[in-house]
Amino acid sequence: MTSNRITTQTRGILASHNIQLKKSLGQNFLTDQHVLNKIVQAAQLTEKAGVLEIGPGIGALTESVADIAEKVVAIEIDGRLVPILKKLFSTRPNVEIIQGDALEVDLNQIIETHFGEVEQIHVTANLPYYVTSPIIIRLLESRLPFKNIVIMIQKEVAERLAARPSTKAYGSLSVFVQYFAEVEMVAKVPSHVFVPRPQVDSAVCRLSLRSEPAVKVENESLFFAVIRAAFAQRRKTLLNTLHANLLSEMTKQQVENILIQADIQPKRRGETLNLAEFAALTQVIHTTDRASV
């Protein structure tokens, strides 16, 4: 299907059902077959694969992945689009449409109910910008057996996911995602290939889930707390931001001693630490008897 045809079909379906897209849902439908192909290729699908799609819209990506995968389950939050999708895919026994919010549906139940026979499960999504981070975090924290997550997101967010230490884009989300997955920018996508056209460009990003986290930590919740605290006040040194946002019960000298013990200079900023250094810092804090401080 050509890009012009997808655009015409998208506008035609919306018009025939008198559907006005909702800004509150961040609805921007991809209409470029070349980009759709890149998403499918990045997902590395096989005929034995299962695909969990988030935000199918009117099914352009759904159709592309259903041509390959054994099973596709698409979660759509907009109840107006669900009957349209079910009609469009009524002759596709390998496609299931579920109405729901990807932040609230029982992902475990969906996996158990619909993907029992598949060899690998992949996630594809054209994510609304306003829920990008919460959905990514939920997918990774679920620890469900996803092979990879291929997502269309705002280009700025994609750059944050892939960012390295000591760069402007590097932040707590970068560390969190890279702890669980290897991140790769697959393609940059201009705004004109969407209906309606968003105000910013997008990017396709692939998260390849690690079999084990990138670094070993004994206390994962503390690890994430350390990351949040380190980036809470980017302009401040680690000594000051950790003292203010995580270790306020300690004196600054005690916090400085922890940093030195972790082989981290207290005057460094959080944005300069890599995952291994965050893990080392977490371990020192974890083994410090804070109750006696």
Side-chain angles (χ1 to χ4, degrees):
M1 187 183 298
T2 65
S3 298
N4 287 340
R5 183 180 171 188
I6 297 174
T7 302
T8 302
Q9 179 177 309
T10 298
R11 295 187 185 279
I13 290 173
L14 294 175
S16 65
H17 291 83
N18 195 28
I19 291 178
Q20 298 294 321
L21 298 182
K22 296 180 179 179
K23 280 190 176 181
S24 62
L25 295 179
Q27 293 174 317
N28 303 98
F29 298 157
L30 179 63
T31 61
D32 188 289
Q33 187 62 53
H34 179 64
V35 178
L36 290 169
N37 292 341
K38 285 193 172 184
I39 295 173
V40 174
Q41 291 166 7
Q44 301 171 327
L45 303 179
T46 69
E47 61 182 15
K48 294 293 185 181
V51 176
L52 177 67
E53 184 184 7
I54 298 173
I58 57 169
L61 179 57
T62 315
E63 181 178 2
S64 294
V65 296
D67 285 340
I68 302 174
E70 179 177 342
K71 182 69 177 183
V72 179
V73 176
I75 303 172
E76 174 55 54
I77 193 172
D78 191 343
R80 302 172 304 164
L81 300 180
V82 170
I84 298 173
L85 287 164
K86 288 185 175 181
K87 183 176 180 181
L88 286 172
F89 293 99
S90 60
T91 60
R92 294 272 196 145
N94 65 328
V95 176
E96 182 95 18
I97 308 299
I98 296 175
Q99 181 178 351
D101 185 339
L103 291 173
E104 297 179 0
V105 295
D106 189 334
L107 295 176
N108 285 279
Q109 185 179 46
I110 290 174
I111 298 301
E112 291 175 5
T113 303
H114 299 284
F115 293 108
E117 303 299 321
V118 302
E119 290 182 351
Q120 296 176 336
I121 304 172
H122 308 250
V123 178
T124 61
N126 178 11
L127 294 182
Y129 299 149
Y130 75 102
V131 291
T132 295
S133 295
I135 287 179
I136 292 173
I137 290 169
R138 186 176 191 219
L139 290 171
L140 294 176
E141 284 186 334
S142 73
R143 298 183 186 272
L144 287 167
F146 301 129
K147 172 70 174 177
N148 54 41
I149 301 170
V150 181
I151 47 179
M152 173 82 69
I153 53 179
Q154 185 176 343
K155 184 166 73 73
E156 180 183 330
V157 178
E159 291 169 348
R160 288 169 57 198
L161 299 188
R164 312 317 284 174
S166 299
T167 61
K168 184 178 180 181
Y170 188 67
S172 57
L173 184 63
S174 315
V175 181
F176 177 88
V177 171
Q178 291 169 31
Y179 175 74
F180 287 103
E182 295 182 16
V183 183
E184 180 184 356
M185 289 267 286
V186 174
K188 296 179 181 179
V189 184
S191 60
H192 66 77
V193 300
F194 293 90
V195 172
R197 181 172 181 167
Q199 295 181 340
V200 296
D201 289 338
S202 299
V204 178
C205 197
R206 177 172 61 204
L207 312 182
S208 299
L209 278 292
R210 304 180 189 274
S211 57
E212 297 290 339
V215 291
K216 185 177 181 180
V217 293
E218 289 186 45
N219 188 332
E220 198 172 78
S221 61
L222 177 60
F223 176 69
F224 296 142
V226 169
I227 294 168
R228 289 192 297 270
F231 288 99
Q233 296 164 293
R234 292 182 69 102
R235 290 182 175 275
K236 289 193 173 184
T237 64
L238 276 167
L239 173 60
N240 288 331
T241 191
L242 287 176
H243 183 255
N245 297 286
L246 184 66
L247 303 173
S248 58
E249 76 276 15
M250 295 183 175
T251 65
K252 276 197 175 183
Q253 184 60 56
Q254 289 168 326
V255 176
E256 182 173 345
N257 291 341
I258 283 175
L259 286 162
I260 292 172
Q261 190 177 341
D263 198 25
I264 297 170
Q265 288 298 315
K267 290 186 178 181
R268 287 177 64 182
R269 294 179 178 176
E271 63 196 47
T272 69
L273 268 63
N274 58 34
L275 270 76
E277 290 174 313
F278 275 116
L281 176 57
T282 301
Q283 182 61 21
V284 174
I285 297 173
H286 177 64
T287 56
T288 299
D289 186 3
R290 292 161 65 182
S292 63
V293 173

